[in-house]
Amino acid sequence: MKSSTLRTFTTVHTWTGLLAGFALFIAFYAGAITMFHDPIDVWALPKAELADAQVMDKAGAMMADIVAKHPAARESIGVTYAAGHPSHEVSAYWMEKDGTWMTQAIDDAGAHDAEDHEHGLADFVYELHYDLGIPEIGIYLMGIVSVIYGLALLTGVLIHLPNLLRELFALRPGHNLKRLWQDAHNVIGILSLPFHIIFAVTGALLCLTLVALMAFNTVIFDGKLMSAFERMTSALPDTAAMTAAAPKSDGTVPMLAPAELGAIARKAAIAAGAANFEPDYMRYVHYGQPGAAAEVRGTSEKTLGEYGMVALDASTGRIINMQLTGARDANHATYSAIFGLHFGTFGSLSLRWLYFVLGLAGAFLFYSGNLLYIETRRKRRQAEQPMKVRAMATATVGVCLGTCFAISVMFIANHLAPYLGAEPTHVVQPVCFITFFAAIAWTFWRRPAKAAVDLLWATAVTSVAVGVLDIALHGERLSRTLAEGRYEVLGVDLVAMAMGAGFGWLAVATRRRAVAGDPCSVWAAKAPRARGSTTAVPEG
């Protein structure tokens, strides 16, 4: 490869990494935590965890009441199942004629705008993963970031391909910190490359599918693609044709309740070979009308596409169609595989741990990329570093370490909120954003070297406190779940404390670097004697 070509690839790799790096750090760190969404959901709601999970029996009456009060829901209305999970809320979702999505839970007095729903802890961490907590445009922003991420991966492979085997296990600790960071960056990038390719491709597809569909629908398919796509991803046939073919009736047709339809779908799916099919969502179309149908979605373990769907006649329970493992068409198999590969749902607990480690390693990859940019451009014998170096160091510390700190504080706020008279779901989002921006402001004020140590210690203390506080406040819940053979609550406590120990170790190492490291660096704790000074510092 010519040196000019290599320089071009290196420049593209550097700038694509910098452009997408901050968003990807947040997505990977939050994504790693999201691998344990359900255990965190149970951990976050100790009171709800005590509630009766068999509330699905009430869903039928709720759906009938909603359709009577909101005629637009008759066209299509969905409901989530408790699925035997103590923290899963049974809620209905439908669209009004003006395009507003509405929702109502079993215990709600009435419907409300789905966009105004309260953010539970686990759900908000998941939102940080796929849209950075930015409403409306965040998901499309992450789609663009995923494309840039793919370009960074491609150029990174082209740069390192000639020396791939030599650099694969090259990790050379010593006084040359830049070389050590470079080795760590390369090793993690090369070893986890297959997974990063999966994340980049599936992330872009998941975030930008709607945009691409709307564009192709208008430009190429003359407005026919959107309806075709719905049939490609649903088990339901053409429901309008079903309604037209059904016997005419002036009255309403009795509908089977969601619990009954879920039981019928589960029995049919298992009989068809799906393992442990557990319904988690269903929707009616043309509720109460002749030809009404229902689609029950459920999950099966140890399959690449864990989600399967069963379509039924909503009034008789007759099976209309099934899209399950081993019995899917190509469209449904591809769509299910995208979800399975991105979220790591196709394996056992060990695979979720692997995805958790890969998520943290990915966050380190983008953090170390920024450190390499800083190390490459700093002045070796000059106390005061260039503005671009100081700015990148400030942004790296503020955004990356600020994210870790904000998420840990959010876990604390979730448990303390009830003791301050607030609902946890009301406070987690504002606490996260306030803490995040406060961390950035702190980094500006303290300078990156000191702020990095401060934020790492703060994250270490709050992370350990997450586990300690839960044990202190909800010890009875912990004892009960352990007696029942359930370990999700203890697992969240222990992982939080282990991560706290890890952040503490990083804080010690960062302080050592700030105190005893190269004084010609933005990571030196001692500030230069005068702003703008170019005082030369002797080597050695």
Side-chain angles (χ1 to χ4, degrees):
M1 184 184 300
K2 292 181 180 179
S3 58
S4 59
T5 305
L6 183 61
R7 282 197 299 273
T8 301
F9 285 150
T10 303
T11 301
V12 173
H13 181 71
T14 299
W15 283 104
T16 50
L18 293 176
L19 283 173
F22 292 120
L24 288 171
F25 180 93
I26 297 172
F28 271 78
Y29 188 76
I33 298 173
T34 295
M35 291 311 303
F36 296 96
H37 176 282
D38 283 355
I40 292 173
D41 213 16
V42 173
W43 180 94
L45 301 169
K47 292 182 179 177
E49 201 265 344
L50 296 172
D52 178 16
Q54 303 303 318
V55 293
M56 203 64 201
D57 293 340
K58 307 174 185 174
M62 178 182 70
M63 306 294 274
D65 182 61
I66 290 173
V67 171
K69 294 177 180 176
H70 303 270
R74 189 180 301 276
E75 186 67 22
S76 177
I77 180 170
V79 62
T80 52
Y81 285 84
H85 199 282
S87 67
H88 284 190
E89 187 177 54
V90 178
S91 300
Y93 295 87
W94 70 96
M95 182 184 286
E96 293 290 356
K97 290 182 178 178
D98 63 358
T100 304
W101 277 99
M102 304 294 289
T103 185
Q104 181 175 329
I106 285 287
D107 297 326
D108 287 346
H112 57 92
D113 192 328
E115 293 297 323
D116 296 333
H117 72 280
E118 297 146 356
H119 297 272
L121 177 65
D123 288 343
F124 184 62
V125 173
Y126 176 50
E127 286 189 31
L128 288 175
H129 167 68
Y130 74 80
D131 69 0
L132 308 178
I134 303 173
E136 305 291 341
I137 64 170
I139 190 169
Y140 306 119
L141 173 64
M142 285 308 299
I144 296 171
V145 166
S146 296
V147 174
I148 298 174
Y149 169 35
L151 184 57
L153 287 176
L154 176 63
T155 51
V157 170
L158 293 173
I159 292 168
H160 295 290
L161 193 59
N163 304 311
L164 189 62
L165 292 178
R166 183 165 57 85
E167 293 179 353
L168 187 57
F169 295 109
L171 193 61
R172 294 162 288 186
H175 294 293
N176 191 335
L177 288 177
K178 181 189 173 186
R179 188 176 63 186
L180 178 61
W181 280 112
Q182 183 74 64
D183 289 344
H185 184 84
N186 294 345
V187 168
I188 292 175
I190 292 170
L191 291 180
S192 57
L193 180 62
F195 294 95
H196 282 284
I197 293 173
I198 290 172
F199 296 151
V201 173
T202 56
L205 288 172
L206 291 172
C207 293
L208 296 177
T209 294
L210 181 60
V211 175
L213 284 174
M214 292 174 69
F216 286 123
N217 187 52
T218 304
V219 176
I220 299 176
F221 291 96
D222 196 24
K224 300 176 181 176
L225 180 60
M226 299 302 283
S227 58
F229 180 75
E230 184 177 353
R231 289 195 296 275
M232 288 162 54
T233 55
S234 169
L236 288 170
D238 187 344
T239 53
M242 288 177 58
T243 302
K248 302 300 179 187
S249 172
D250 296 332
T252 58
V253 177
M255 297 285 99
L256 292 178
E260 296 174 271
L261 290 167
I264 296 170
R266 185 172 188 276
K267 183 178 179 180
I270 292 175
N276 302 319
F277 184 86
E278 192 64 46
D280 69 350
Y281 179 78
M282 70 148 293
R283 67 182 177 113
Y284 294 96
V285 291
H286 308 308
Y287 185 98
Q289 297 176 340
E295 180 185 64
V296 177
R297 188 188 71 182
T299 56
S300 297
E301 296 177 349
K302 298 180 180 178
T303 174
L304 179 56
E306 67 164 353
Y307 283 112
M309 291 169 284
V310 178
L312 313 96
D313 186 309
S315 61
T316 66
R318 177 177 61 86
I319 304 297
I320 300 173
N321 186 24
M322 289 191 284
Q323 291 290 344
L324 301 164
T325 302
R328 291 189 175 101
D329 58 35
N331 291 325
H332 289 83
T334 303
Y335 200 63
S336 299
I338 290 172
F339 278 94
L341 289 170
H342 190 85
F343 294 105
T345 55
F346 55 89
S348 59
L349 180 63
S350 58
L351 183 71
R352 276 197 286 165
W353 275 108
L354 175 61
Y355 267 59
F356 175 79
V357 172
L358 287 168
L360 296 182
F364 171 80
L365 198 66
F366 306 116
Y367 187 76
S368 61
N370 284 12
L371 296 185
L372 287 172
Y373 173 89
I374 293 167
E375 284 297 309
T376 302
R377 285 155 181 80
R378 76 180 174 94
K379 301 296 182 183
R380 301 289 168 187
R381 301 181 60 188
Q382 184 173 306
E384 180 71 358
Q385 294 297 314
M387 172 64 79
K388 62 182 179 182
V389 173
R390 288 187 281 120
M392 179 54 72
T394 302
T396 299
V397 170
V399 174
C400 298
L401 300 186
T403 297
C404 301
F405 180 48
I407 289 178
S408 294
V409 171
M410 189 167 62
F411 274 68
I412 296 288
N414 180 86
H415 269 10
L416 291 181
Y419 296 90
L420 301 174
E423 287 292 329
T425 51
H426 292 173
V427 303
V428 291
Q429 185 178 15
V431 164
C432 181
F433 283 128
I434 290 171
T435 308
F436 175 72
F437 288 111
I440 293 176
W442 183 262
T443 308
F444 271 106
W445 183 54
R446 287 276 284 172
R447 300 172 66 88
K450 293 181 179 178
V453 178
D454 297 341
L455 290 176
L456 284 168
W457 273 122
T459 308
V461 171
T462 51
S463 297
V464 171
V466 167
V468 173
L469 191 67
D470 181 63
I471 294 171
L473 295 178
H474 308 121
E476 182 276 333
R477 189 266 299 267
L478 179 60
S479 301
R480 178 168 47 78
T481 53
L482 290 177
E484 295 171 354
R486 295 163 47 203
Y487 302 100
E488 66 266 53
V489 173
L490 178 64
V492 174
D493 291 338
L494 292 180
V495 170
M497 289 190 278
M499 292 184 70
F503 280 113
W505 175 76
L506 290 173
V508 171
T510 304
R511 184 181 182 281
R512 186 185 304 125
R513 168 77 172 88
V515 173
D518 187 349
C520 298
S521 170
V522 290
W523 306 117
K526 188 176 181 180
R529 282 171 291 183
R531 178 75 65 187
S533 168
T534 56
T535 305
V537 178
E539 287 184 300

